Amino acid sequence: SQTIHQWPATLVQPVGSPLSLECTVEGTSNPNLYWYRQAAGRGLQLLFYSVGIGQISSEVPQNLSASRPQDRQFILSSKKLLLSDSGFYLCAWSETGRDSPLHFGNGTRLTVT
Amino acid sequence: GDSVTQMEGPVTLSKEAFLTINCTYTATGYPSLFWYVQYPGEGLQLLLKATKADDKGSNKGFEATYRKETTSFHLEKGSVQVSDSAVYFCALNKQTGANNLFFGTGTRLTVIP
């Protein structure tokens, strides 16, 4: 069966520090991968998605970047965190094909101080 | 632009009560509509979906009907259980990119015995 791992679960980082959140998927090949963010009182916002190794699409301009160095690995990064980067970050995967369900990790709670 | 407006919570119900969580959407074209659920300590998971007007999605006793005339996709359950306590997210597929889901803010449901 397929599983998705996301870590760390919580993270407190100072403003200006770098960020690296990692997500890996097991039990499937060539998945679509996604990074979402949920800010307080808001819905989940799609940040990045990837349909293959090295292929990253960004949905909103921001202080973050994403990379997919391996088929089932998706990394969310920042060189210098801002206070506004605080939030709940969720990684997800889906099979290819329209309306394939998304399968989410448990999320990372990031607090930038 | 595309958007999802979801009933604000939290919602507290007694066991076996009737549940309705309202969801309305704004979208161009013919989006697919979804309800995702997040149980305590778990990632989001697909609850049900409908891909065209008048379709009814159903799962675990929950139902939602895609109403194009009212642009709604309200979630209902006739008799809730304590195990239904969770956060419920309405979402639509924006039809651009790979399963680019646009989520509502989520509604927290608590069912008391």
Side-chain angles (χ1 to χ4, degrees), chain B residues 21-96:
Chain B
I21 300 179
N22 290 339
C23 173
T24 57
Y25 68 90
T26 302
T28 55
Y30 302 93
S32 297
L33 301 173
F34 307 81
W35 278 99
Y36 277 77
V37 59
Q38 184 176 28
Y39 298 105
E42 300 183 16
L44 278 78
Q45 57 186 274
L46 178 66
L47 179 60
L48 54 84
K49 70 178 184 182
T51 58
K52 61 183 186 297
D54 300 325
D55 268 4
K56 177 185 286 187
S58 61
N59 186 24
K60 299 182 180 181
F62 290 88
E63 293 183 339
T65 301
Y66 188 163
R67 302 285 189 197
K68 188 167 177 61
E69 63 275 14
T70 55
T71 62
S72 65
F73 193 54
H74 305 322
L75 182 68
E76 297 182 336
K77 186 173 185 180
S79 177
V80 294
Q81 303 301 314
V82 173
S83 58
D84 294 326
S85 297
V87 182
Y88 293 83
F89 293 88
C90 186
L92 65 81
N93 188 337
K94 295 175 69 175
Q95 298 183 311
T96 59

Side-chain angles (χ1 to χ4, degrees), chain A residues 32 34 36 38 41-46 49-51 59 88 90 94-106, chain B residues 30-32 34 36 38 41-46 49 51 89 93-106:
Chain A
N32 292 336
Y34 310 81
Y36 280 84
Q38 184 176 27
R42 297 183 141 184
L44 276 70
Q45 180 185 39
L46 180 63
Y49 68 90
S50 171
V51 298
E59 287 296 303
F88 191 58
L90 287 160
S94 75
E95 296 179 352
T96 56
R98 176 177 166 73
D99 296 333
S100 295
L102 269 65
H103 306 274
F104 286 83
N106 287 345
Chain B
Y30 302 93
S32 297
F34 307 81
Y36 277 77
Q38 184 176 28
E42 300 183 16
L44 278 78
Q45 57 186 274
L46 178 66
K49 70 178 184 182
T51 58
F89 293 88
N93 188 337
K94 295 175 69 175
Q95 298 183 311
T96 59
N99 285 338
N100 186 351
L101 292 186
F102 193 96
F103 285 85
T105 54

Side-chain angles (χ1 to χ4, degrees), chain A:
Chain A
S1 64
Q2 302 91 354
T3 56
I4 179 168
H5 303 281
Q6 184 182 344
W7 67 92
T10 59
L11 189 60
V12 180
Q13 292 283 100
V15 168
S17 63
L19 173 74
S20 181
L21 302 181
E22 189 163 343
C23 173
T24 59
V25 180
E26 297 176 358
T28 186
S29 297
N30 196 32
N32 292 336
L33 297 172
Y34 310 81
W35 278 110
Y36 280 84
R37 176 173 63 195
Q38 184 176 27
R42 297 183 141 184
L44 276 70
Q45 180 185 39
L46 180 63
L47 302 177
F48 302 95
Y49 68 90
S50 171
V51 298
I53 296 174
Q55 300 179 60
I56 308 295
S57 296
S58 174
E59 287 296 303
V60 292
Q62 57 207 313
N63 185 42
L64 302 169
S65 62
S67 62
R68 185 171 177 173
Q70 301 181 43
D71 181 45
R72 290 168 288 176
Q73 183 183 29
F74 205 26
I75 298 172
L76 183 69
S77 303
S78 173
K79 292 182 179 178
K80 290 185 178 181
L81 284 169
L82 306 172
L83 286 174
S84 58
D85 292 323
S86 294
F88 191 58
Y89 291 83
L90 287 160
C91 181
W93 73 272
S94 75
E95 296 179 352
T96 56
R98 176 177 166 73
D99 296 333
S100 295
L102 269 65
H103 306 274
F104 286 83
N106 287 345
T108 296
R109 174 76 59 190
L110 172 66
T111 303
V112 182
T113 61

Side-chain angles (χ1 to χ4, degrees), chain B residues 1-14:
Chain B
D2 296 352
S3 67
V4 173
T5 302
Q6 188 173 341
M7 173 180 173
E8 288 191 22
V11 175
T12 302
L13 294 174
S14 297

